[in-house]
Amino acid sequence: MDSHEQLHRTLRAAAQLLDSAASQIRDLPLHPTRENIRLVAEALAITFQVRRNVEVELPALAKHHPEPIEEDRAANKRLGDALVAADDMAEGRSNAEAAVFLEHFARQESSAFHRDLALLEAGRYRLRDEA
């Protein structure tokens, strides 16, 4: 017989697989890239909602994460905006331009974590041009 714990683990695995699928769609790219990623995001959101429903029935499964501080929220927004802009550049112009944009963003970013993420993504854009 299935349990709440087993369903919770299954939903966590499903979310990880969907996240990986979104990355693969972006990296291929699978056209229409934005629409395909949006569809995967919708499935991911539904998965999170069902997982949350399980946590309501069995609160012990819920992990309690502290709310991010304002500085982290701001860095998340800056990085998110930069990634969207880079994606627009890559679709409309070139991967190299998107990489340069993210490298410039990283030089100005105060958060080391977000700077590293931007540089990682810039490297992915550069690899696409080499392929």
Side-chain angles (χ1 to χ4, degrees), residues 7-67:
L7 175 57
H8 197 261
R9 282 192 305 273
T10 300
L11 291 166
R12 183 177 62 227
Q16 290 169 340
L17 289 171
L18 286 167
D19 184 60
S20 178
S23 295
Q24 291 172 22
I25 289 168
R26 181 198 64 220
D27 291 345
L28 282 173
L30 177 64
H31 298 287
T33 305
R34 284 180 186 263
E35 176 63 13
N36 287 321
I37 290 175
R38 186 189 65 73
L39 290 169
V40 171
E42 286 179 14
L44 190 56
I46 292 167
T47 302
F48 284 135
Q49 182 57 53
V50 175
R51 191 170 169 200
R52 178 68 188 122
N53 293 344
V54 172
E55 292 169 355
V56 167
E57 286 198 21
L58 196 60
L61 293 175
K63 289 185 178 179
H64 299 286
H65 301 286
E67 283 295 313

Side-chain angles (χ1 to χ4, degrees), residues 5 17 31 43 50 53 67 69 83 85 91-92 95-96 109 118 123 128:
E5 292 88 353
L17 289 171
H31 298 287
V50 175
N53 293 344
E67 283 295 313
I69 60 174
L83 292 174
E91 287 210 7
N95 289 321
E109 178 54 50
R128 286 185 209 157

